[in-house]
Amino acid sequence: MEKICRHLKAGVLTILIPKALVGDRELASKLKTFLSTISFGETRIAIEFRGGEPTEDTLKILHDYNAVHSVDLSRQEPKVDSSILYSRLFGKGKENIYEFNDNELQDIATKSSGPKFEKSILAFHGVRMYRDAARLKTFLTSGKFPSLTSQVGLGSLGEVLKEDARFPTTKSQLMGEQGWKLYDKNVEERARARELLEKLPDRTYTTLEDVLESLT
């Protein structure tokens, strides 16, 4: 593994601790044994705890061995001081079905650019990961977020739904399948599709035009 990291010039190697092991009483001692017997040169070890919170003893082991506490910065901040921030960003939706709004991306930018970090690595893992990353990069370079569609308001919502909305459908189906997405509320502001979709009457909709006309 050390040879692979060196060949790839990897700055960070992430180790995932599954939910079944996060509550293991011996996790701290197991991590200590592991971290004390390996060396990856300039590659830092980042530990991510899935589905649970590590104990104080476990966090102390990370600190003692200069390991990075990897977290989803949109949900929490690392509990171990480190010169490196490594965050895998999934968002606040079901699994990775999520799209970060402007305020969330700005908050991530603020947290990741703190003076305590010499280097920040943000890895987007949502279904809109490439666009989310591009939007954040645009904000960091220009101070503004780009539009998502060529229209605003209902026109923008129509473009978003046109991507993959299936008909006939119901209000509840649209809310569940499309509500997490963002549309351009106006030139300066993005909003969740659910904000408009929740205004729909409870019935079956046969076409996209049917949906948009019901919101007019």
Side-chain angles (χ1 to χ4, degrees), residues 36-84:
S36 64
T37 56
I38 62 170
S39 174
F40 290 99
E42 296 182 0
T43 301
R44 292 283 295 277
I45 302 297
I47 308 293
E48 179 180 327
F49 301 91
R50 286 289 186 87
E53 290 296 322
T55 64
E56 290 298 322
D57 288 342
T58 299
L59 292 173
K60 185 177 185 302
I61 296 300
L62 267 62
H63 177 271
D64 292 346
Y65 288 91
N66 201 29
V68 178
H69 181 203
S70 175
V71 299
D72 182 340
L73 200 58
S74 69
R75 291 176 174 267
Q76 65 179 121
E77 295 189 48
K79 296 181 179 179
V80 177
D81 290 336
S82 173
S83 61
I84 291 180

Side-chain angles (χ1 to χ4, degrees), residues 92-141:
K92 302 172 183 177
K94 181 180 179 181
E95 297 178 347
N96 72 331
I97 303 176
Y98 199 72
E99 184 171 19
F100 293 96
N101 65 32
D102 295 355
N103 290 335
E104 290 170 324
L105 288 177
Q106 188 168 1
D107 186 51
I108 290 170
T110 299
K111 291 178 179 178
S112 62
S113 60
K116 63 181 179 180
F117 299 122
E118 296 177 5
K119 184 177 184 179
S120 293
I121 302 171
L122 303 175
F124 287 89
H125 286 270
V127 293
R128 301 282 205 194
M129 55 187 172
Y130 298 115
R131 187 161 79 174
D132 285 339
R135 288 168 57 219
L136 178 58
K137 184 176 182 180
T138 297
F139 172 73
L140 291 174
T141 56

